[in-house]
Amino acid sequence: MRVSCRINGEQREADGVWPGESLLYLLRERLGLPGAKNACEQGECGSCTVYLDGLPVCACLVASGQAQGREVVAVEGLSGPDGTLDRVQRAFLEAGAVQCGFCTPGLIVAVHDLLARVPAPADPDIREALAGNLCRCTGYEKIMEAVRLAAAAPPSAPGAMPVPAPGGPR
Amino acid sequence: MDFLSPTSWAEALAAKAAYPEAVPIAGGTDVMVELNFDRRRPPALLDLTRIGELVEWGTDGGLLRVGAGVTYRRIIAELGDRMPGLAMAARTVGSPQIRNRGTVGGNLGSASPAGDALPPLLAAGGLVELASVRGVRRLPVAEFFTGPKRSVRAPDELIAAFLLPMERGRHQFAKIGTRNAMVIAVCSFALALRPATGEVGTGIGSAGPTPLRAVDAERFLAGELPWQTGAGLPDPLIRRFGELVVAAAAPIDDVRGSAAYRRHALSVLARRTLVWAWEEYRREGP
Ligand SMILES: Cc1cc2nc3c(=O)[nH]c(=O)nc-3n(C[C@H](O)[C@H](O)[C@H](O)COP(=O)(O)OP(=O)(O)OC[C@H]3O[C@@H](n4cnc5c(N)ncnc54)[C@H](O)[C@@H]3O)c2cc1C
Ligand code: FES
Ligand code: FES
């Protein structure tokens, strides 16, 4: 089947899609967007987290046909067209919350969403929000630091793409 | 594989009647795991996420009717005060990513004995609404399950909604897992005190072939609770309730826990939720 949807603000199309394949496969293997990572394909690790119609979801658990006509924002869409990083991306770099980096794109999206909902999260809020993102390297302390750092920075880097508010068919 | 993408409920029912082997997919948090791991190769998927009727909730006589496609996220955000037990359970499901997609309809559809939404639906005296081109039927949630991952849903039927009585009660849910988040229940328990009718409801998760009610425990407690005086509960009553709940369970040994552990944990959950719910009743009234 043909699937078309808006991805990172751009209208994209893919042909020959097997309807049962995941949005994650569509993004990575058909559209060349490797930001969302594939680690478990069962919703456990969160490394494939993307916004779908404004809500963070595991791209590995969305059937590609379900993405038809929807709005997807992956980690690539959070930085500006000129490469300006979002405050969450900058905070991860500054705090050293990135080691192998495999979990990072999913975490960035999850943290981006957290700060949009809870501008000044307490540690338990952060832990609850990130419960679906596994990291094998950092021990999470640097990640916690990065979230606190991002929360303290002025919102949204200039030029970064705004994520649509959740709406439409929920 | 065919992909059916109805945009109305009537269209969805017609599609299911014409193509009974088509597998419904809502949030996909159960279906996609099976597809990704080649455990299932259905000839067609029937996407339910474009059907407006399924994501609505409202009142229907004395009942609150919630569309099968309402996500856990929305149950917590929009229905927390009306369905506190279900909202508590919803908060324990997976992660934010899973709660943003997963639905109670899908939890019913999977009919896993470990489904976290199911004990609160049992405890609250919930109904399931099934629909097909042949018509609509409503049945108590307790009559919906026939075995592990099996239900009375016919091949041409879809789950339209679940319904709960609107009377205010004191509802609790507790779950044992190997950690706090992102965990499938080793066992779980839901309790509903319904002062308006003097009834008690229970739901046991992950300790039997289906989610179960502890009917003897319900009857015992309804008769013994000092509803009028609101007095504190004597220890023997609390313990007896725990024993009767355990007696209704039929747990097995598996990778998540032994049957003996499940029995023990269940009695603890039953006692705890009773004390929480009763203290709330004493403090805040019915
Ligand atoms: C990482 C992870 C963690 C999880 N944690 C939990 C947890 O803590 N507790 C828990 O209970 N579950 C958990 N689950 C399981 C799952 O999220 C739930 O069972 C959820 O409720 C399924 O809803 P869904 O909309 O995603 O269902 P889907 O996957 O879309 O569907 C599930 C089943 O129901 C059928 N179905 C869906 N809608 C209908 C309908 N309207 N009519 C008829 N059939 C229908 C489908 O055909 C399928 O058989 C977890 C899953 C993952 C991947
Ligand atoms: S790859 Fe999707 S959650 Fe792990
Ligand atoms: S940095 Fe390696 S998995 Fe998180």
Side-chain angles (χ1 to χ4, degrees), chain A residues 42-44 61, chain B residues 9 23-34 40 48 54 68 72 92-95 98 101-110 114-117 153 157-160 175 182-185:
Chain A
Q42 51 183 317
E44 296 280 348
L61 300 182
Chain B
W9 187 232
V23 169
I25 177 166
T29 58
D30 281 322
V31 171
M32 286 304 289
V33 176
E34 296 193 312
R40 205 168 180 188
L48 300 177
L54 271 193
Y72 293 111
T92 76
V93 172
S95 58
I98 300 297
R101 292 285 291 172
T103 64
V104 176
N107 214 229
L108 284 162
S110 289
D116 285 323
R153 187 172 65 81
E157 280 181 317
L158 291 173
I159 302 163
K175 165 175 168 181
M182 278 292 270
V183 90
I184 179 164

Side-chain angles (χ1 to χ4, degrees), chain A residues 7 22-34 36 48 50 59 72 74:
Chain A
I7 299 177
S22 67
L23 170 61
L24 180 61
Y25 188 90
L26 182 79
L27 291 173
R28 293 179 56 84
E29 310 299 333
R30 296 198 189 271
L31 299 173
L33 290 165
C48 66
V50 300
V72 177

Side-chain angles (χ1 to χ4, degrees), chain A residues 92 95-104 107 133-144:
Chain A
F92 268 67
V98 180
Q99 286 188 27
C100 80
F102 205 80
C103 66
T104 312
L107 272 165
N133 293 77
L134 295 182
C135 174
R136 299 287 302 263
C137 305
T138 63
Y140 301 101
E141 284 311 317
K142 297 280 186 191
I143 293 172
M144 297 292 293

Side-chain angles (χ1 to χ4, degrees), chain A residues 1 18-22 40-46 49 52 55-58 60-70 106 110 117 128-134 166 169-170, chain B residues 1-3 5 25-30 32-33 35-37 39-42 45 47-50 55 69-71 73-74 78 91 94-101 179 181-182:
Chain A
M1 70 186 283
W18 182 65
E21 76 189 35
S22 67
C40 73
E41 292 197 286
Q42 51 183 317
E44 296 280 348
C45 74
T49 303
L52 178 65
L55 289 176
V57 304
C58 297
C60 69
L61 300 182
V62 177
S64 49
Q66 294 184 300
Q68 170 64 37
R70 307 281 192 204
R117 286 182 293 117
E128 187 176 16
L130 301 187
N133 293 77
L134 295 182
R170 289 165 297 183
Chain B
M1 182 191 271
D2 293 328
F3 192 79
S5 204
I25 177 166
T29 58
D30 281 322
M32 286 304 289
V33 176
L35 293 188
N36 288 346
F37 286 86
R39 285 190 211 126
R40 205 168 180 188
R41 276 289 171 269
L45 289 179
D47 181 23
L48 300 177
T49 55
R50 289 170 210 277
V55 296
V70 174
T71 57
R73 183 185 75 90
R74 290 184 56 210
E78 299 167 29
R91 282 198 59 146
S95 58
Q97 290 92 322
I98 300 297
R99 296 191 289 272
N100 283 343
R101 292 285 291 172
R179 70 181 186 114
M182 278 292 270

